[in-house]
């Protein structure tokens, strides 16, 4: 039996609403997640953009770190901007704690402050698909400065990866929810089992 | 895109984009780098650098200006979260200096002494984004028309009294609900009534919301205050004097952060509200003479 496709969005703070709107447009139920009990019903979880220091403080206050790591062992996570910082193994500028879900090192605010925020277009290569043009909105964005060979680079810009896949997890340093294309959201839904589910229930 | 920013330039998208990231968070007024560190450690999503917190500006009087850039720089070097800073209403030279310094958002603020009684800064020309205060929908749309990409209620800063922020938020919500109900041919008359740009009135009619995030400020002193404003539709909360004029700033700051995250969960709000020490003493707005009110600055 297919369980309903419900995707969680970590809603401690940050850009929750635009992911929710985008998933609604794709006919997927998106639920804000603020506690460990709300994770159980989710097929995957988006950690949206926001401030990683605020996320860390609230994860600690509500003892949410371990449940998130446990969830990630079973189900897909997608970290967007601050979310990718939270999922990294190491964080620089400054050094801070992270959940070590992805074997990558991330440098915060790597391009500079808000005046250096920018929009760029680059090719995105999803597994089994040709290159698609993707618009990337980079806001005080981090940069992936080191990554293990088993991490697949889906897109790069300026010589560093901006979209990554590691097993069923995704990370993007730009904000797909601030651009038109639905490609990344669709890809995440596929990782969450939408396709596999459709095949197995036939 | 679904929030209707297709009409926006690339720069506008980046400016609104940062505001989107601050949603559900608390932006705290800080005077020193030490304050900024306390705010960041408590979970603030951004800090607002200013020379004196509003309660002190109110008490000490005199002309309140942009902070010393050396102080702002010290704050920028101390924290990794976005740093905002205030310029006086209409003081585009202060805004140019803040942009040159590289702050992440400029608050053209009624808390400082206005530099121009008729004109606000022409904000579209700046690369650095602006937040502006508003007491009603017409004022909010005029500021957005000038290029503000984040709106906050003015409230009555430095009082610790929430009544004005509530009044402003309700006024904005009421007029947005009204516009959503109007027929297309009524929109120009509504733009005339509100003294607001027609295109933005039309945006509100079509989307039922502002084209930029709607935050709140002015008089927040407790976790319950923050929750109240979030439940009234604010998307993030600025706290000024409410933290550093309280007896235990780190504890109160963290409690207000929690209250904004769990603004609609009374159980969490109860836990966050316990044992915070003394809040800022405050001044009831009803006891202020009209000339002592900051919210009437700007138009």
């Amino acid at each position: 039996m297919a369980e309903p496709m419900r995707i969680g969005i970590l809603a401690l703070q940050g850009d929750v609403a635009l992911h929710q709107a985008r998933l609604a447009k794709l006919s997927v139920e998106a639920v804000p997640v603020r506690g460990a009990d709300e994770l159980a019903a989710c097929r995957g979880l988006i950690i949206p953009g926001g401030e990683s220091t605020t996320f860390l403080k609230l994860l600690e206050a509500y003892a949410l770190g371990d449940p998130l790591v446990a969830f990630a062992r079973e189900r897909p996570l997608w970290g967007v901007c601050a979310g990718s910082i939270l999922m990294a193994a190491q964080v620089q500028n400054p050094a801070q704690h992270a959940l070590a879900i992805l074997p990558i090192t991330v440098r915060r605010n790597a391009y500079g402050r808000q005046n250096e925020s920018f929009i760029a277009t680059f090719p995105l290569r999803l597994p089994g698909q040709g290159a698609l043009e993707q618009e990337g909105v980079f806001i005080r964005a981090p940069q992936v400065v080191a990554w293990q060979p088993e991490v697949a680079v889906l897109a790069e810009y300026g010589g560093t990866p901006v979209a990554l896949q590691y097993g069923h997890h995704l990370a993007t340093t730009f904000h797909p929810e601030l651009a038109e294309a639905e490609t990344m959201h669709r890809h995440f839904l596929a990782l969450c089992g939408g396709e596999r589910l459709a095949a197995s229930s036939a | 895109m679904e929030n209707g920013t297709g009409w926006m330039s690339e720069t506008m998208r980046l400016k609104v984009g940062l505001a989107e990231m601050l949603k559900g968070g608390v932006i705290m007024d800080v005077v020193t780098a030490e304050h900024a560190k306390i705010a960041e450690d408590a979970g603030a999503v951004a800090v607002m650098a200013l020379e004196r917190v509003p309660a002190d500006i109110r008490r000490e009087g005199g002309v309140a200006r942009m902070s010393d850039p050396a102080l702002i720089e010290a704050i920028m070097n101390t924290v990794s979260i976005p740093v905002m800073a205030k310029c006086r209403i209409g003081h585009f030279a202060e805004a140019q200096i803040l942009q040159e310094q590289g702050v992440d958002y400029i608050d053209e603020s009624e808390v400082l002494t206005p530099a121009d009684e008729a004109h606000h800064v022409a904000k579209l020309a700046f690369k650095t984004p602006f937040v502006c205060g508003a007491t009603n929908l017409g004022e909010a749309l005029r500021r957005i028309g000038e290029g503000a990409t984040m709106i906050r209620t003015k409230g009555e800063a430095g009082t610790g009294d929430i009544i004005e922020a509530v009044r402003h938020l309700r006024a904005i919500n009421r007029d947005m609900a009204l516009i959503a109900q109007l027929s297309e041919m009524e929109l120009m008359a509504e733009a005339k009534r509100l003294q607001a740009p027609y295109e933005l009135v039309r945006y509100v009619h079509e989307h039922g919301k502002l084209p930029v995030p709607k935050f709140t400020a002015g008089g927040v002193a407790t976790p319950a205050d923050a929750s109240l404003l979030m439940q009234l539709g604010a998307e993030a909360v600025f706290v000024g004097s409410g933290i550093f004029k309280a007896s235990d700033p780190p504890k109160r700051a963290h409690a207000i952060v929690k209250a904004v995250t769990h603004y609609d969960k009374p159980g969490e709000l109860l836990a966050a509200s316990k044992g915070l020490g003394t809040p800022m003493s405050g001044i009831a707005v009803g006891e202020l003479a009209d000339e002592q009110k900051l919210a009437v600055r700007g138009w």
Side-chain angles (χ1 to χ4, degrees):
Chain A
M1 291 305 272
E3 55 177 302
M5 191 63 161
R6 187 179 293 140
I7 301 294
I9 305 169
L10 190 66
L12 298 172
Q13 178 271 315
D15 186 15
V16 179
L18 293 179
H19 283 289
Q20 209 166 1
R22 187 60 58 94
L23 292 176
K25 209 173 149 201
L26 295 170
S27 305
V28 171
E29 188 187 351
V31 292
V33 169
R34 289 177 286 179
D37 52 328
E38 293 161 322
L39 275 173
C42 300
R43 296 293 305 267
L45 181 77
I46 297 175
I47 307 180
E51 282 305 315
S52 62
T53 52
T54 305
F55 291 173
L56 282 174
K57 188 74 192 171
L58 290 167
L59 286 182
E60 186 193 331
Y62 296 109
L64 261 173
D66 289 343
L68 277 184
V69 171
F71 180 85
R73 276 189 220 111
E74 306 292 329
R75 301 190 171 193
L77 248 58
W78 173 17
V80 178
C81 192
S84 72
I85 297 170
L86 216 62
M87 288 169 68
Q90 264 117 34
V91 180
Q92 305 173 348
N93 190 37
Q96 65 187 38
H97 177 68
L99 299 177
I101 291 166
L102 302 173
I104 62 174
T105 302
V106 172
R107 184 173 172 76
R108 290 184 59 201
N109 301 331
Y111 301 92
R113 309 188 70 96
Q114 174 63 12
N115 286 349
E116 285 74 54
S117 290
F118 63 98
I119 298 177
T121 303
F122 42 81
L124 172 68
R125 290 182 185 79
L126 299 179
Q129 297 183 33
L132 298 160
E133 187 156 281
Q134 172 74 39
E135 183 188 53
V137 181
F138 293 84
I139 303 204
R140 287 173 46 96
Q143 221 171 44
V144 178
V145 294
W147 60 99
Q148 294 295 315
E150 58 270 30
V151 173
V153 176
L154 305 181
E156 54 179 35
Y157 177 75
T160 59
V162 294
L164 299 165
Q165 184 168 338
Y166 175 66
H168 56 196
H169 300 311
L170 288 180
T172 52
T173 60
F174 60 93
H175 291 277
E177 80 284 4
L178 293 176
E180 295 277 353
E182 292 163 355
T183 326
M184 287 304 305
H185 285 86
R186 286 183 185 280
H187 182 54
F188 183 63
L189 292 177
L191 290 173
C192 291
E195 288 176 351
R196 205 169 51 229
L197 220 97
S200 66
S201 64
Chain B
M1 56 198 289
E2 57 277 281
N3 67 339
T5 50
W7 55 279
M8 286 190 182
S9 67
E10 202 162 282
T11 313
M12 284 282 273
R13 289 175 64 199
L14 290 168
K15 290 172 171 181
V16 173
L18 178 54
E20 296 284 349
M21 301 311 142
L22 303 178
K23 281 184 178 174
V26 181
I27 300 145
M28 302 182 190
D29 276 5
V30 298
V31 172
T32 62
E34 186 194 5
H35 279 180
K37 188 67 190 147
I38 290 171
E40 183 177 56
D41 288 345
V45 289
V47 291
M48 172 75 70
L50 72 175
E51 62 163 7
R52 291 172 282 169
V53 294
D56 288 337
I57 291 174
R58 193 175 279 291
R59 203 186 64 239
E60 293 163 12
V63 176
R65 309 178 177 89
M66 175 185 81
S67 282
D68 180 341
L71 259 173
I72 300 172
E73 190 178 359
I75 290 168
M76 288 166 67
N77 290 336
T78 301
V79 295
S80 61
I81 55 179
V83 175
M84 305 186 180
K86 288 184 191 289
C87 75
R88 286 178 261 178
I89 290 174
H91 206 316
F92 54 86
E94 282 187 349
Q96 287 162 352
I97 291 167
L98 291 173
Q99 169 167 270
E100 188 64 25
Q101 185 161 38
V103 301
D104 296 289
Y105 244 93
I106 299 171
D107 184 2
E108 186 183 16
S109 176
E110 70 284 358
V111 167
L112 305 186
T113 311
D116 190 322
E117 59 185 13
H119 309 97
H120 286 251
V121 173
K123 294 168 273 288
L124 281 171
F126 284 77
K127 186 165 195 191
T128 307
F130 279 77
V131 51
C132 286
T135 58
N136 57 50
L137 184 60
E139 190 174 9
L141 297 181
R142 287 192 291 278
R143 296 294 83 78
I144 297 167
E146 292 158 357
T149 46
M150 180 196 295
I151 290 296
R152 56 168 176 76
T153 60
K154 285 181 174 171
E156 192 53 45
T159 61
D161 187 347
I162 203 67
I163 188 169
E164 293 300 307
V166 169
R167 189 198 313 278
H168 301 160
L169 208 43
R170 284 199 183 276
I172 291 169
N173 291 344
R174 188 174 53 240
D175 273 342
M176 287 201 297
L178 172 74
I179 288 175
Q181 299 303 316
L182 296 177
S183 68
E184 192 170 350
M185 71 179 284
E186 292 172 289
L187 295 179
M188 187 59 88
E190 185 62 9
K192 183 183 174 193
R193 182 182 77 87
L194 292 174
Q195 298 184 291
Y198 173 76
E199 288 305 323
L200 294 177
V201 171
R202 197 180 173 84
Y203 181 96
V204 172
H205 175 67
E206 285 170 6
H207 298 86
K209 63 185 201 65
L210 295 180
V212 306
K214 178 185 64 179
F215 292 1
T216 190
V220 177
T222 67
D225 289 344
S227 163
L228 175 68
L229 297 171
M230 291 293 288
Q231 292 193 57
L232 287 173
E235 295 174 307
V237 178
F238 287 81
V239 187
S241 319
I243 290 170
F244 289 99
K245 286 292 167 189
S247 66
D248 188 344
K251 201 168 183 182
R252 185 163 294 265
H254 186 47
I256 293 176
V257 168
K258 287 170 152 178
V260 170
T261 294
H262 290 297
Y263 69 93
D264 56 352
K265 291 186 177 170
E268 299 289 355
L269 294 169
L270 171 63
S273 300
K274 280 181 183 165
L276 302 180
T278 318
M280 70 178 284
S281 63
I283 310 165
V285 171
E287 291 167 14
L288 286 177
D290 283 348
E291 64 272 16
Q292 293 173 298
K293 290 182 182 167
L294 305 178
V296 297
R297 295 170 168 181
W299 56 280

